[in-house]
Amino acid sequence: MKELEAYRIGLIGNGSWATAIAKILSKNLSNIRWWVKDDFVKGHLIRSKHNPTYLTDVEFNPDQFIISTDINEVVFESDIIFLVVPSIYVEKCLERLNVPLKDKILVSSIKGIVPNHYLAVNEFLHQKHQVPTENMGVISGPCHAEEVALERLSYLTVAHQDPKMAEMIANCLRCDFIQAKITDDVIGTEYGAILKNIYAIAAGIAHGVGYGDNFQAVLMSNAIREMERLLYTIDWRDRDINDSAYLGDLLVTGYSFFSRNRMFGNMIGKGYTVKSAILEMNMVAEGYYATRGVYEMKDKFEVKCPIISAVYKILYQGKNPKKVMDKLTKKLD
Amino acid sequence: MKELEAYRIGLIGNGSWATAIAKILSKNLSNIRWWVKDDFVKGHLIRSKHNPTYLTDVEFNPDQFIISTDINEVVFESDIIFLVVPSIYVEKCLERLNVPLKDKILVSSIKGIVPNHYLAVNEFLHQKHQVPTENMGVISGPCHAEEVALERLSYLTVAHQDPKMAEMIANCLRCDFIQAKITDDVIGTEYGAILKNIYAIAAGIAHGVGYGDNFQAVLMSNAIREMERLLYTIDWRDRDINDSAYLGDLLVTGYSFFSRNRMFGNMIGKGYTVKSAILEMNMVAEGYYATRGVYEMKDKFEVKCPIISAVYKILYQGKNPKKVMDKLTKKLD
């Protein structure tokens, strides 16, 4: 395997998490090819050294980046590509590609389901872009972008089936405020990150309709058990569900006020309609789309997932949040 | 086994958690013999129907209680006794006893270690008061007294080696805002409740010295794994550490602003001395005593418990909280 220096690094995305990843990568690397969506973002990054919309306090050194709005150029000129766009934009973002993705090492840090396809991002890359499994990794972790901006100590998990490759990717990320561990549980890490957003919405709804901290703790305790059941069904393997990548990620999303999924759920619990909650927030709550995606898949999994079902009923069937949550409480222990 | 109505119920304690338990019991029972520490508390409860100091908003119907400051009378006249005094007062409270405890069913809801003896409360009752194991139960749960006062839905776990007895105790507690499940893991439930207070102090210290939500999630993810290791060493049995009694209880204590242990840790992290933090708070942070108790026991357990060790160093060896936490971060993942 080549040394890290021999790989050309690319980054796709300009949201808050992509901006956080850019900040982290810039601690170790230069010549990062960074795809952003338009000339406004590109110009702002080059001229004023900030993302104009997300994590605007983070200052970049433009000399470390080759910023481009041409996805084909970024993909073509990169060997390892960090893919960090919200899942609802993945398909659209990649449909402009006429350069093959399949020879690249793709590292997804997208925590959602690709709409219309009901596929996790790696499944989508595999099925629609022929990326082989051995070329795909995942970054996850209990990690709000906002705290990365503040350089508060955070832990990431890098999943790749080849531990050497996982280690190399981890080395791109490790710095004074980032610790990174590796795992070969690629599917579990990706799905854990998807599921936790749904549970964070549930936590927000519970808070919104008036349940307190005691119930919140019970909800999270049930959520991690539900996640464990689901992950075993999706990909049976020996994993400690209480590792940071699963439980830690659930907790940071379920408890933190930075969490947009929790905030979204809270608004729903307080009586906002889904539409008005989405409009009110300037960010994508990945869990909204994930809820539908996972719900559609759940019959395939044949496991009980009362929390996800409850969130689905509220978000997609217009059921009353208070009534649905009250019913859910009888199913938890 | 006799029906619930055939048992005379006693309650020992007048702190916030005892007051919450009194409120819960009063939903199902009358003629509860309630030991309180002095005539001031007794008089206040009878005349103004409130505990003068804790959960002062909770109104009691004095007709449901036989309030007494005579521990011998309460013990003698009761068959099932709910023991709910802070662990530091247990020994003193029971030393006035000249009535034997050993024929009673003791249900402890004390989440701490008896100082000087380094014993969990049930171990203390067994060794010092000859209460046989089959007569001892534990109540635990993710449950702040403050939310019980507000009648917010909460879940308790009742541990007793005899499921019928556990069920009967649970039936004393179940009401419109309390769900109760049963388990036969008496030791694990008791120790889980003890350990979680130490982890809550760690969470408070971490917050106090400036770590953010991302780290907090990692800390809790490591804490539940450390708790699992310790519980297996203390009492090996098949348990799901993510049940509400273990993980749920950890989370409510580690994350809630109601948590006095977290608050205590936060003050330590902010630079208060242990003495001034104790003086500043009008309540006992059980975790402070538990830290020493468990630390003294830990060599016996032969498991790694870096979080408990870190808290011990800060609280009992005067080590700098920031430095100790910084070192701890290297041991977590």
Side-chain angles (χ1 to χ4, degrees), chain A residues 59-314:
Chain A
E59 186 170 310
F60 291 100
N61 174 1
D63 295 343
Q64 288 184 274
F65 295 92
I66 305 149
I67 296 167
S68 168
T69 59
D70 179 352
I71 190 130
N72 283 294
E73 179 199 327
V74 171
V75 169
F76 185 76
E77 298 287 352
S78 304
D79 304 306
I80 297 177
I81 299 167
F82 291 85
L83 192 60
V84 199
V85 288
S87 58
I88 51 161
Y89 302 134
V90 169
E91 186 174 19
K92 204 173 163 210
C93 176
L94 297 182
E95 76 188 4
R96 283 168 256 172
L97 266 186
N98 46 42
V99 174
L101 267 183
K102 64 183 173 49
D103 305 323
K104 308 296 177 175
I105 294 156
L106 269 291
V107 185
S108 160
S109 196
I110 301 172
K111 294 154 182 193
I113 293 279
V114 183
N116 305 322
H117 299 277
Y118 307 128
L119 294 171
V121 171
N122 274 0
E123 292 163 349
F124 176 81
L125 294 174
H126 184 60
Q127 291 187 21
K128 306 292 172 187
H129 291 273
Q130 296 76 50
V131 181
T133 312
E134 63 267 27
N135 282 6
M136 297 195 298
V138 167
I139 302 174
S140 184
C143 203
H144 285 302
E146 290 77 3
E147 290 199 349
V148 171
L150 298 167
E151 302 201 355
R152 286 189 161 176
L153 181 67
S154 305
Y155 293 61
L156 296 174
T157 295
V158 175
H160 196 284
Q161 67 178 45
D162 176 357
K164 281 188 195 152
M165 181 53 78
E167 194 58 37
M168 200 168 63
I169 298 165
N171 281 334
C172 297
L173 304 167
R174 287 178 181 130
C175 62
D176 50 343
F177 59 90
I178 296 289
Q179 290 194 34
K181 68 186 277 191
I182 65 166
T183 173
D184 61 357
D185 181 21
V186 182
I187 297 173
T189 303
E190 182 171 27
Y191 267 98
I194 292 167
L195 294 170
K196 65 115 202 302
N197 285 330
I198 308 176
Y199 300 127
I201 292 180
I205 295 173
H207 183 76
V209 300
Y211 287 100
D213 294 347
N214 290 351
F215 178 71
Q216 195 77 327
V218 171
L219 182 63
M220 288 296 106
S221 144
N222 280 267
I224 194 68
R225 286 178 272 154
E226 184 172 309
M227 183 194 285
E228 186 173 35
R229 288 195 298 274
L230 274 163
L231 292 190
Y232 276 129
T233 320
I234 295 167
D235 182 30
W236 174 266
R237 65 161 64 213
D238 191 29
R239 64 171 69 84
D240 187 342
I241 199 70
N242 289 338
D243 276 349
S244 290
Y246 318 107
L247 178 65
D249 206 14
L250 172 69
L251 295 182
V252 83
T253 315
Y255 273 108
S256 175
F257 293 114
F258 283 126
S259 162
R260 65 198 75 162
N261 288 287
R262 191 178 190 283
M263 195 194 305
F264 176 73
N266 192 30
M267 292 168 85
I268 299 295
K270 294 274 187 216
Y272 277 68
T273 62
V274 169
K275 211 170 181 178
S276 57
I278 290 174
L279 280 172
E280 190 81 11
M281 293 174 65
N282 190 26
M283 295 190 183
V284 179
E286 289 276 17
Y288 172 66
Y289 305 99
T291 301
R292 178 148 182 205
V294 173
Y295 188 83
E296 298 284 344
M297 288 187 249
K298 87 175 174 41
D299 292 338
K300 202 168 65 187
F301 301 149
E302 286 180 0
V303 284
K304 280 188 187 171
C305 37
I307 304 174
I308 289 173
S309 297
V311 175
Y312 181 83
K313 281 176 195 152
I314 294 166

Side-chain angles (χ1 to χ4, degrees), chain A residues 142-144 147-148 152-155 179 181 210-215 217-218 220-222 224-225 228 240-244 247-249 251-252 255-258 328-330 332-333, chain B residues 142-144 147-148 152-155 179 181 210-215 217-218 220-222 224-225 228 240-244 247-249 251-252 255-258 328-330 332-333:
Chain A
C143 203
H144 285 302
E147 290 199 349
V148 171
R152 286 189 161 176
L153 181 67
S154 305
Y155 293 61
Q179 290 194 34
K181 68 186 277 191
Y211 287 100
D213 294 347
N214 290 351
F215 178 71
V218 171
M220 288 296 106
S221 144
N222 280 267
I224 194 68
R225 286 178 272 154
E228 186 173 35
D240 187 342
I241 199 70
N242 289 338
D243 276 349
S244 290
L247 178 65
D249 206 14
L251 295 182
V252 83
Y255 273 108
S256 175
F257 293 114
F258 283 126
L328 177 64
T329 64
K330 310 291 178 208
L332 307 182
D333 65 7
Chain B
C143 203
H144 285 302
E147 291 200 348
V148 171
R152 285 190 162 176
L153 180 68
S154 304
Y155 293 61
Q179 291 193 33
K181 69 186 277 190
Y211 288 100
D213 293 346
N214 290 351
F215 177 72
V218 171
M220 288 297 106
S221 143
N222 280 268
I224 194 69
R225 286 178 272 153
E228 186 174 35
D240 187 342
I241 198 70
N242 289 338
D243 276 349
S244 290
L247 177 66
D249 206 13
L251 295 181
V252 83
Y255 273 109
S256 175
F257 293 113
F258 283 126
L328 177 63
T329 65
K330 311 290 179 209
L332 307 182
D333 66 6

Side-chain angles (χ1 to χ4, degrees), chain B residues 93-164:
Chain B
C93 176
L94 297 182
E95 78 189 3
R96 283 168 256 174
L97 266 185
N98 47 42
V99 173
L101 266 185
K102 63 182 174 50
D103 305 322
K104 310 295 177 176
I105 295 155
L106 270 291
V107 185
S108 161
S109 197
I110 301 173
K111 295 153 183 194
I113 293 279
V114 184
N116 305 322
H117 299 276
Y118 306 128
L119 294 171
V121 171
N122 274 1
E123 292 163 349
F124 176 81
L125 294 174
H126 183 62
Q127 290 187 22
K128 306 293 172 187
H129 292 272
Q130 296 77 50
V131 181
T133 311
E134 62 267 26
N135 282 6
M136 296 195 298
V138 167
I139 302 174
S140 184
C143 203
H144 285 302
E146 291 77 3
E147 291 200 348
V148 171
L150 298 167
E151 303 202 354
R152 285 190 162 176
L153 180 68
S154 304
Y155 293 61
L156 296 174
T157 295
V158 175
H160 196 284
Q161 68 178 44
D162 176 357
K164 281 186 194 154

Side-chain angles (χ1 to χ4, degrees), chain B residues 82-321:
Chain B
F82 292 84
L83 192 59
V84 199
V85 288
S87 58
I88 51 162
Y89 303 134
V90 169
E91 186 173 21
K92 204 175 162 208
C93 176
L94 297 182
E95 78 189 3
R96 283 168 256 174
L97 266 185
N98 47 42
V99 173
L101 266 185
K102 63 182 174 50
D103 305 322
K104 310 295 177 176
I105 295 155
L106 270 291
V107 185
S108 161
S109 197
I110 301 173
K111 295 153 183 194
I113 293 279
V114 184
N116 305 322
H117 299 276
Y118 306 128
L119 294 171
V121 171
N122 274 1
E123 292 163 349
F124 176 81
L125 294 174
H126 183 62
Q127 290 187 22
K128 306 293 172 187
H129 292 272
Q130 296 77 50
V131 181
T133 311
E134 62 267 26
N135 282 6
M136 296 195 298
V138 167
I139 302 174
S140 184
C143 203
H144 285 302
E146 291 77 3
E147 291 200 348
V148 171
L150 298 167
E151 303 202 354
R152 285 190 162 176
L153 180 68
S154 304
Y155 293 61
L156 296 174
T157 295
V158 175
H160 196 284
Q161 68 178 44
D162 176 357
K164 281 186 194 154
M165 182 53 78
E167 193 59 37
M168 201 169 63
I169 298 165
N171 281 334
C172 297
L173 304 167
R174 288 180 180 128
C175 62
D176 50 343
F177 59 90
I178 296 288
Q179 291 193 33
K181 69 186 277 190
I182 66 166
T183 173
D184 61 356
D185 181 21
V186 182
I187 297 173
T189 303
E190 182 171 27
Y191 266 97
I194 292 167
L195 294 169
K196 65 117 203 296
N197 285 331
I198 308 175
Y199 300 127
I201 292 179
I205 295 173
H207 183 75
V209 301
Y211 288 100
D213 293 346
N214 290 351
F215 177 72
Q216 194 77 330
V218 171
L219 182 63
M220 288 297 106
S221 143
N222 280 268
I224 194 69
R225 286 178 272 153
E226 185 172 310
M227 183 192 285
E228 186 174 35
R229 289 194 298 273
L230 275 162
L231 292 189
Y232 277 129
T233 321
I234 296 167
D235 181 31
W236 174 265
R237 65 161 64 214
D238 190 29
R239 64 170 70 84
D240 187 342
I241 198 70
N242 289 338
D243 276 349
S244 290
Y246 318 106
L247 177 66
D249 206 13
L250 171 68
L251 295 181
V252 83
T253 315
Y255 273 109
S256 175
F257 293 113
F258 283 126
S259 163
R260 65 198 74 161
N261 288 287
R262 191 179 189 283
M263 197 193 303
F264 175 74
N266 192 30
M267 291 167 85
I268 300 295
K270 295 273 186 216
Y272 277 69
T273 62
V274 168
K275 210 169 181 180
S276 56
I278 289 173
L279 280 173
E280 189 82 11
M281 292 173 67
N282 190 26
M283 295 191 183
V284 179
E286 289 276 16
Y288 171 65
Y289 305 98
T291 301
R292 178 149 183 205
V294 174
Y295 188 83
E296 297 285 344
M297 289 187 248
K298 85 174 176 38
D299 291 338
K300 202 167 62 187
F301 301 149
E302 284 180 3
V303 284
K304 280 189 187 170
C305 36
I307 304 173
I308 289 172
S309 299
V311 174
Y312 181 82
K313 281 175 196 155
I314 294 166
L315 298 186
Y316 288 95
Q317 298 182 332
K319 298 280 169 70
N320 179 288

